[in-house]
Structures are given as C-alpha cells and as structure tokens.
Amino acid sequence: MKSQYYFAYGSNLNIEQMANRCPLAEPVERAYLANFCLDFKTNVRGFGVATIRPEYGSYVEGALYKITQDCLNSLDLFEGHPTVVPLFVY
C-alpha cells in the first residue's frame, strides 16, 4: 500500500490517540513547520481545536508520520474534513 508523510501537531502528538485514529501510522521523527504558528479556534460543536496559521518567523513543533491513504481518510473523518459547514466560529 502506498504511503505518504503527514505532519502531526496538537492532539495527534499523543501516541495512543494517534494509534487509535490510524493504527498503521508509523512515527518517523520530530519535525518543525517553519513560518506557521499554533492557534486555537472553536468549532461549530463548541469545542476548542488546534489549528495552524501562517506567521512569518514562527514555527510549530510536531511529528512526522508515515501514513497510508486509509490513515489519511480516518484522520480527515476525525478532523471533520472536508466539511460543508464552516468548521470554525470566529
């Protein structure tokens, strides 16, 4: 099965949660995403969720995983992507 790399941050850094969301995901290494910062929003269900947004000179700490398409589909479902309803309330 073809694999791809996935940058995880927020709750996906919890190894047990990530294993439940996509059991075939393989952690590769710590990673940093340059020129982005961690932000928190409220989704339409009223829960706080982590997201990232561009910000020059900042970085987001995370982890790089090797995942399958099934893993990505599972993560998309968990994260609510894609959604017809706006995910965030500003």
Side-chain angles (χ1 to χ4, degrees):
M1 186 176 282
K2 187 177 176 184
S3 63
Q4 57 192 305
Y5 290 100
Y6 174 83
F7 178 75
Y9 64 93
S11 65
N12 287 339
L13 290 176
N14 182 301
I15 293 172
E16 289 177 10
Q17 288 182 22
M18 189 66 168
N20 287 331
R21 292 172 189 160
C22 44
L24 297 177
E26 298 175 31
V28 176
E29 65 184 348
R30 290 178 67 175
Y32 300 89
L33 186 59
N35 297 316
F36 281 84
C37 72
L38 189 62
D39 200 2
F40 295 91
K41 302 285 184 193
T42 303
N43 67 17
V44 293
R45 295 178 296 262
F47 296 106
V49 293
T51 188
I52 56 175
R53 63 177 170 79
E55 184 174 281
Y56 183 77
S58 294
Y59 65 91
V60 177
E61 293 186 47
L64 198 59
Y65 279 84
K66 191 184 245 185
I67 64 170
T68 64
Q69 185 61 47
D70 287 342
C71 288
L72 184 58
N73 294 342
S74 175
L75 289 167
D76 282 348
L77 183 63
F78 175 78
E79 301 288 346
H81 175 80
T83 180
V84 195
V85 181
L87 182 60
F88 300 112
V89 177
Y90 292 95

